[in-house]
């Protein structure tokens, strides 16, 4: 179900509508009321995620996320899913690098039961061996398929080198070679380390008042322990200038390239977004797209982005190309990074990038789920609650001079870490 925002929600500042609530049980959350449709969308997360995987056992957190909707309390997996389906309640979990993320969607009339079931999932998972074996087999099969996919392989190698010695060096989904070592006891132990009120962030958007919402929060989360393991430490970006090839039998090679980025709370971050858009973030207008696809036909698409959170900041790019033209494409990419430093971005490019970034942001907030996810990200990263309202004003204030400063900081000497997966022709 897609829930479109109302005109009043679209034209009123989010900060003025946002309620910061705290339940009697001490659960804190943000609530954005919208009573157009009788639906509530709740996005929440527990800090830690795949970074809390036991040493040598990546994928444990991913298995934990999958098992939270299997057997729960005295309900088997089928019984729990039927309880959700009977009330059209959608509950899902996914694991990322830094969080175990959850989404709950329900009709307002079913809020009590929805939050009861959510509470059972997070605080009373049964962790049945048969559920684990089925989930483990399904997950291992997915990982095995990924071993033949150049994009996944290139990404895993890139992370392993860029974040060597840090938990972020491990793939969040795990590795096929080691997933067999993950046992049910590892998943149970990880639940105890991560699932707690201390690690919890919650945002809800929809047709529910504050009093009813705080009561629902206690129904779901009051049984959780208060504290959990400390947060993940920031990850430094390593090995700039390194180029790594992983051989795969594939007609195309995938290349991932990147370098450190300006942090998300830095005053120059919005200028860095403009730089990224001009370099490779603009799908059809960026310099890299123009040089690699339009002028030379080296790839179908190329994209760069800023992967910036509280614990990691990097500029990262992706493309795939024919094996016999991979190194030609890499030479063009490096040339464009150097050209960006030696030749300032024009005033026209800056204004076009700003216009796109401001207009596209509004389109990203067209549903209640999108608003909830953006607010949750804002909360997790420790940004102010008025970030959504202020974001476009910050983009508008970017000048050609601040962009030039951001280029110097973002691109620097142009050195890249490059991970290639495929069978490219000899360099």
């Amino acid at each position: 179900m897609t829930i479109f925002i109302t005109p009043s929600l679209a034209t009123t500042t989010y900060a003025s509508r946002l309620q910061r609530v705290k339940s009697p049980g001490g659960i804190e959350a943000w609530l954005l009321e919208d009573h157009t449709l009788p639906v509530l969308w709740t996005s929440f997360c527990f800090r830690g995620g795949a970074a809390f995987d036991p040493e040598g056992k990546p994928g444990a957190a991913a298995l934990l996320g999958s098992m939270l909707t299997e057997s729960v309390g005295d309900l088997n997996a089928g019984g729990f899913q039927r309880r959700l389906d009977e009330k059209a309640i959608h509950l899902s979990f996914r694991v990322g690098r830094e969080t175990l993320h959850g989404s709950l969607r329900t009709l307002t009339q079913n809020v009590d039961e929805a939050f009861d079931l959510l509470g059972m999932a997070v605080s009373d998972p049964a962790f049945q061996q048969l559920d684990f074996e089925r989930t483990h087999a399904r997950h291992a099969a997915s990982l095995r398929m990924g071993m033949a996919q150049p994009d996944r392989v290139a990404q895993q190698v890139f992370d392993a080198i860029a974040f060597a010695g840090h938990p972020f060096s491990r793939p969040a989904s795990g590795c096929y070679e080691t997933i067999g070592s993950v046992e049910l006891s590892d998943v149970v132990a990880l639940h105890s380390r991560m699932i707690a009120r201390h690690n919890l962030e919650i945002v809800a958007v929809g047709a529910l008042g504050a009093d009813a919402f705080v009561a629902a929060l206690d129904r779901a989360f009051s049984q959780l322990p208060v504290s959990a393991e400390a947060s993940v430490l920031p990850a430094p970006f390593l090995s700039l200038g390194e180029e790594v090839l992983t051989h795969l039998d594939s007609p195309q090679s995938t290349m991932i390239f990147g370098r450190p980025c300006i942090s998300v709370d830095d005053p120059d971050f919005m200028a860095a977004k403009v730089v990224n858009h001009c370099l490779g973030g603009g799908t059809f207008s960026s310099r890299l797209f123009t040089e690699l696809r339009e002028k030379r036909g080296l790839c179908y698409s190329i994209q760069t982005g800023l992967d910036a959170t509280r614990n990691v900041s990097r500029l990262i790019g992706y493309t795939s190309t024919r094996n016999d033209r991979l190194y030609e494409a890499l030479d063009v990419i490096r040339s464009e990074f150097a050209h960006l430093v030696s030749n300032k971005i024009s005033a026209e490019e800056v204004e076009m990038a700003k216009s796109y970034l401001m207009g596209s942001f509004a389109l990203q907030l067209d549903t209640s789920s999108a608003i909830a996810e953006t607010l949750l990200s804002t909360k997790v990263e420790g940004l102010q609650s008025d970030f959504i309202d202020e974001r476009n004003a910050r983009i508008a204030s970017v000048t050609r001079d601040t962009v030039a400063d951001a280029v110097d900081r973002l691109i620097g000497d142009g050195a890249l870490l490059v991970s290639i997966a495929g069978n490219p022709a000899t360099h």
Side-chain angles (χ1 to χ4, degrees):
M1 180 189 297
T2 299
I3 309 163
F4 289 97
I5 62 174
T6 65
S8 61
L9 191 56
T11 56
T12 306
T13 62
Y14 293 99
S16 69
R17 297 175 60 98
L18 196 64
Q19 301 177 68
R20 298 162 187 78
V21 301
K22 186 174 183 178
S23 74
I27 309 298
E28 297 183 6
W30 289 356
L31 172 65
L32 193 66
E33 286 192 54
D34 175 19
H35 291 267
T36 305
L37 294 174
V39 179
L40 183 74
W41 188 289
T42 305
S43 294
F44 59 95
C45 69
F46 296 93
R47 296 180 185 273
F52 279 12
D53 280 339
E55 186 66 33
K57 297 185 177 184
L63 290 170
L64 170 60
S66 297
M67 292 200 68
L68 293 179
T69 50
E70 294 288 334
S71 297
V72 171
D74 58 359
L75 297 172
N76 62 24
F80 183 67
Q81 289 299 324
R82 282 192 294 274
R83 286 278 298 275
L84 293 170
D85 292 345
E86 286 168 358
K87 299 294 186 179
I89 299 167
H90 173 81
L91 174 63
S92 65
F93 295 89
R94 70 175 187 271
V95 171
R97 188 173 53 202
E98 302 175 61
T99 60
L100 170 60
H101 181 282
S103 295
L104 177 69
R105 186 186 68 223
T106 180
L107 294 169
T108 308
Q109 67 190 41
N110 298 327
V111 160
D112 287 350
E113 182 158 6
F115 277 77
D116 282 341
L117 292 171
L118 169 58
M120 292 170 63
V122 296
S123 64
D124 194 23
F127 291 127
Q128 296 291 326
Q129 182 66 34
L130 287 176
D131 292 341
F132 175 75
E133 291 173 0
R134 182 177 62 253
T135 301
H136 189 285
R138 184 172 62 243
H139 192 70
S142 175
L143 291 175
R144 184 172 185 177
M145 291 178 60
M147 294 174 66
Q149 298 172 356
D151 55 338
R152 292 179 66 171
V153 173
Q155 184 68 70
Q156 289 181 10
V157 173
F158 185 95
D159 291 343
I161 296 170
F163 303 128
H166 190 279
F168 291 171
S169 66
R170 308 184 299 243
S173 58
C175 301
Y176 179 72
E177 297 87 349
T178 59
I179 195 65
S181 68
V182 181
E183 300 176 346
L184 178 58
S185 58
D186 297 313
V187 175
V188 175
L190 194 57
H191 179 272
S192 298
R193 290 174 58 203
M194 191 190 313
I195 308 299
R197 283 179 276 171
H198 170 76
N199 272 5
L200 180 61
E201 301 285 1
I202 313 167
V203 169
V205 177
L208 197 68
D211 290 343
F213 182 51
V214 296
L217 290 175
D218 277 349
R219 298 180 79 96
F221 301 113
S222 63
Q223 299 304 311
L224 294 177
V226 174
S227 61
E229 188 166 316
S231 299
V232 182
L233 295 175
F237 192 108
L238 308 173
S239 302
L240 270 179
E242 197 167 334
E243 180 183 312
V244 182
L245 170 62
T246 305
H247 284 283
L248 290 178
D249 185 13
S250 172
Q252 283 196 325
S253 293
T254 292
M255 173 169 40
I256 296 180
F257 53 93
R259 56 175 291 111
C261 170
I262 296 170
S263 64
V264 70
D265 58 352
D266 190 287
D268 279 346
F269 184 72
M270 290 304 173
K273 288 185 72 70
V274 172
V275 173
N276 172 70
H277 183 84
C278 296
L279 174 65
T283 306
F284 299 111
S285 60
S286 72
R287 294 185 176 195
L288 288 175
F289 184 89
T290 299
E291 293 298 325
L292 272 81
R293 176 172 170 169
E294 290 191 353
K295 291 185 178 180
R296 296 173 175 84
L298 290 170
C299 62
Y300 179 76
S301 66
I302 182 166
Q303 193 80 17
T304 63
L306 304 184
D307 176 17
T309 69
R310 178 178 294 188
N311 293 312
V312 62
S313 297
R314 62 183 178 179
L315 165 65
I316 191 164
Y318 310 80
T319 193
S320 295
T321 189
R322 282 170 26 191
N323 286 326
D324 62 334
R325 305 196 73 182
L326 183 282
Y327 288 109
E328 181 184 354
L330 179 55
D331 287 343
V332 175
I333 290 169
R334 286 181 167 143
S335 175
E336 284 306 305
F337 269 77
H339 186 261
L340 196 67
V341 174
S342 61
N343 296 270
K344 283 189 175 183
I345 296 175
S346 69
E348 181 181 9
E349 278 184 284
V350 170
E351 291 308 312
M352 288 178 62
K354 288 164 58 176
S355 178
Y356 177 88
L357 290 169
M358 289 187 289
S360 63
F361 186 63
L363 295 175
Q364 294 170 25
L365 301 175
D366 62 345
T367 66
S368 295
S369 62
I371 295 169
E373 290 297 315
T374 302
L375 286 171
L376 180 64
S377 176
T378 299
K379 199 170 189 293
V380 168
E381 297 308 324
L383 301 174
Q384 295 299 313
S385 58
D386 63 357
F387 171 78
I388 296 182
D389 300 322
E390 296 297 322
R391 187 262 193 189
N392 276 359
R394 296 179 191 179
I395 291 286
S397 69
V398 170
T399 67
R400 192 183 180 197
D401 287 339
T402 58
V403 165
D405 291 340
V407 166
D408 290 339
R409 295 184 60 194
L410 187 64
I411 308 302
D413 61 2
L416 299 171
L417 169 62
V418 180
S419 172
I420 301 164
N423 191 26
T426 304
H427 201 310

